[in-house]
Amino acid sequence: AVGHLYPAGTSMLADVADEDELGRVLELFPQYSAIWNIHAGGSGDKSIDDAFYERDVQQLELAFEGQMHFATFYAYVKLKEQEIRNLVWISECILQQQKDEINKFVPVFSMNAPWRAKKTR
């Protein structure tokens, strides 16, 4: 089995009908509970997708700290995909005249990333 949710979590997620139920299911799994808390406890400007993207970027950045493995190639491709998502987000914000929303992208290898800002404080 792959992942932390299989088999019990996936069957519980199949029965989820709204966001509150999703939160109750994710609270049972510590790996995803922290991500849910970022979304639920935030000011409402960060979606659950953004919280998962931030976690992915954080994990992918850690792949570059190891040696002699192929994870760096996978991480490189995935981080490039995130950069493309960031560029699409910025260009859509510009096209839709939503300049105050531009900074809501997920930073890649940035010292201002939320997970790095917590460590320095």
Side-chain angles (χ1 to χ4, degrees):
V2 177
H4 302 285
L5 295 174
Y6 185 80
T10 52
S11 63
M12 290 170 28
L13 284 174
D15 298 330
V16 168
D18 63 358
E19 196 171 270
D20 292 332
E21 288 182 42
L22 176 65
R24 284 192 290 276
V25 170
L26 291 179
E27 288 291 327
L28 301 174
F29 301 92
Q31 300 86 353
Y32 302 110
S33 176
I35 296 171
W36 176 255
N37 291 334
I38 289 172
H39 167 67
S43 60
D45 60 343
K46 188 174 291 193
S47 70
I48 189 77
D49 292 338
D50 293 336
F52 272 106
Y53 283 139
E54 282 184 1
R55 179 188 172 274
D56 287 345
V57 168
Q58 181 182 11
Q59 296 295 319
L60 292 168
E61 287 179 358
L62 291 175
F64 288 93
E65 294 182 7
Q67 296 180 16
M68 307 301 286
H69 57 83
F70 292 108
T72 53
F73 298 107
Y74 176 80
Y76 176 80
V77 170
K78 290 305 212 175
L79 289 171
K80 283 295 178 185
E81 288 176 2
Q82 182 60 46
E83 285 183 353
I84 292 169
R85 274 193 294 270
N86 288 344
L87 289 172
V88 168
W89 174 260
I90 291 169
S91 61
E92 288 292 326
C93 288
I94 291 170
L95 287 173
Q96 295 175 9
Q97 311 261 326
Q98 300 289 325
K99 302 220 179 196
D100 53 334
E101 303 288 320
I102 286 179
N103 293 325
K104 292 185 180 178
F105 62 89
V106 179
V108 177
F109 287 115
S110 171
M111 294 310 289
N112 298 325
W115 52 92
R116 288 207 176 94
K118 290 177 187 172
K119 291 180 183 177
T120 59
R121 291 181 186 167

